[in-house]
Amino acid sequence: MSEPSETPDVPPEVEDSEQQADDAQEAAEPQPDEVEGPRRRARRERAERREAQARAEAIEQARREAKRRLRTRSTEPASRVPRGAIRGLKMALITVLTLVSAVGLGLILYFTPLMSVRAVEVEGIAEVTRDEVVAVAAVQLGTPLLQVDTSAVADRVSEIRRVASVRVQRQYPSTLRIAVVERIAVAVKDFPDGPHLFDRDGVDFATAPPPPGLPYFDVDDPGPTDPASRAALRVLTALAPEVAGQVSRIAAPSVSSITLTLTDGRIVVWGNTDRTAEKAQKLAALLTQPGHIYDVSSPDLPTVR
C-alpha cells in the first residue's frame, strides 16, 4: 500500500525565489492577457494572503493600542479642585459681597435723607429747658443721622452751666436722643450779684435763690481748683443724710481747719480731710449726746463739750 504524499512546507525564501523564476519564465513565454495560468494564479493568491495577513496584523495592533490607552485613562486620577480651595473661594466671594453691600448701604444712609433727623428727644432736664438744649445742640432737622457729630453736639450742650454731663445717641430711623444730667447744688455763697450755687465739684453753675436748707459755703475763693473748697465739699458729701440735713454752714479757712455749724447752733470741729469716712461715722453717734462743740478732728478720741 502506498502512503499518501504530503506537500512539505516551503520556506518563504524558497517560495520567493520560485516566484521570481516563474515570473521570469512567464515573461519569456507570451500568453494572452485574458488567460491566467497556474503560476500567475499561485502568485496572486500568495500576494492576497500576504495582504490579508498584513491587514490582520494592523487591525490587531490598533486594537492593542486602543486597549492600552483605555487602561491608561482609567488608572490616571481625575484632576479635581481641592475642597479647601472651593470653600476659600466661597468665603472670599461672600466677604466681598458683604463689604460691597455694607458700603452701599452706608453711602445711601449718609448722603440721602432716608434716615434723617425728624425729632430731637431731650431727657433728664429739670431746671434746664428743652428749648435751651435744642438751641445749643444746633442740629438741623432733615440732616442725615450719620452726618450728625454726636461728640460735638455733646460738647455744645455741656457748655450750659447747669449741665454736668451729656450723652447723645442716634436712634434709627429718625431720632436724635440727648440725655442730660444736671448739676445738683450742695452749697451756696452770696456774691454782690446774688447767691451762687455750687455742686459737689465746686462748680459755680447758677445764680439763683438757693433751695431751702442748703448750707452756706464759707471759703475765700470757692471753685473747683481751690484746695480749701474741695476739702470742705468732700466733708459735706461724706456726711450721713440725717447729719448733712442739719448743717447750715461749712467753713474752710484752710484745708486743715474745717468746721461745721448746725442749724441749732452746735459746732463741729472737723480738722483736715484725713479719715473722713471714719469721722463722719463717729459724728453721727456723737450728736446723740448733749453738748455744744463736737470735736472729731482726732477720730480716736472724739470729745463733746
Side-chain angles (χ1 to χ4, degrees), residues 2-297:
S2 61
E3 294 181 358
S5 61
E6 294 181 359
T7 303
D9 293 338
V10 180
E13 295 81 358
V14 177
E15 185 178 6
D16 291 341
S17 61
E18 290 179 353
Q19 181 178 354
Q20 292 175 0
D22 293 342
D23 291 343
Q25 185 176 357
E26 287 183 0
E29 298 178 359
Q31 295 181 1
D33 295 339
E34 65 275 5
V35 179
E36 182 182 14
R39 295 178 182 275
R40 181 176 294 179
R41 184 170 54 254
R43 186 174 65 252
R44 178 178 55 78
E45 289 176 355
R46 286 194 298 270
E48 290 176 354
R49 284 198 300 271
R50 286 196 299 270
E51 184 180 353
Q53 184 176 1
R55 184 167 56 253
E57 290 178 354
I59 293 174
E60 181 64 23
Q61 182 66 25
R63 185 181 295 110
R64 291 176 181 177
E65 183 67 20
K67 289 182 179 180
R68 186 187 64 78
R69 291 179 181 177
L70 183 61
R71 286 196 300 269
T72 303
R73 291 179 181 178
S74 62
T75 56
E76 289 181 353
S79 60
R80 300 175 60 185
V81 180
R83 292 184 178 180
I86 296 176
R87 189 180 298 110
L89 290 175
K90 288 182 179 179
M91 292 301 298
L93 181 59
I94 293 173
T95 301
V96 171
L97 292 177
T98 302
L99 290 176
V100 171
S101 300
V103 171
L105 180 60
L107 293 175
I108 291 174
L109 297 180
Y110 190 86
F111 290 105
T112 67
L114 184 62
M115 290 187 179
S116 58
V117 179
R118 294 182 176 86
V120 178
E121 293 183 357
V122 181
E123 299 179 356
I125 55 176
E127 299 296 330
V128 180
T129 65
R130 179 186 181 281
D131 292 341
E132 184 178 6
V133 173
V134 171
V136 173
V139 176
Q140 186 70 30
L141 295 180
T143 303
L145 277 173
L146 288 178
Q147 293 188 20
V148 176
D149 188 344
T150 56
S151 297
V153 174
D155 291 341
R156 291 194 292 269
V157 176
S158 296
E159 295 177 357
I160 300 176
R161 291 176 62 190
R162 283 185 175 271
V163 173
S165 63
V166 184
R167 185 178 182 183
V168 180
Q169 293 176 303
R170 303 181 186 92
Q171 288 189 336
Y172 296 99
S174 58
T175 302
L176 187 68
R177 179 175 176 267
I178 302 176
V180 175
V181 177
E182 293 187 357
R183 298 186 185 276
I184 299 175
V186 297
V188 60
K189 182 175 177 62
D190 288 332
F191 283 88
D193 60 343
H196 287 214
L197 305 182
F198 294 83
D199 68 358
R200 60 183 302 152
D201 297 321
V203 176
D204 179 359
F205 67 89
T207 302
L214 199 65
Y216 185 78
F217 199 26
D218 188 4
V219 292
D220 295 333
D221 187 20
T225 60
D226 178 49
S229 298
R230 293 200 305 269
L233 293 172
R234 180 181 175 186
V235 171
L236 192 61
T237 55
L239 297 175
E242 62 275 12
V243 177
Q246 301 179 50
V247 178
S248 63
R249 177 185 296 265
I250 181 168
S254 67
V255 296
S256 59
S257 57
I258 301 171
T259 59
L260 309 174
T261 302
L262 306 185
T263 55
D264 57 6
R266 291 181 293 177
I267 305 297
V268 177
V269 179
W270 193 275
N272 56 32
T273 56
D274 293 342
R275 302 168 65 181
T276 294
E278 186 179 355
K279 290 179 181 180
Q281 185 178 5
K282 294 290 180 66
L283 178 61
L286 208 62
L287 288 177
T288 60
Q289 303 179 20
H292 181 66
I293 299 177
Y294 299 81
D295 191 341
V296 293
S297 58

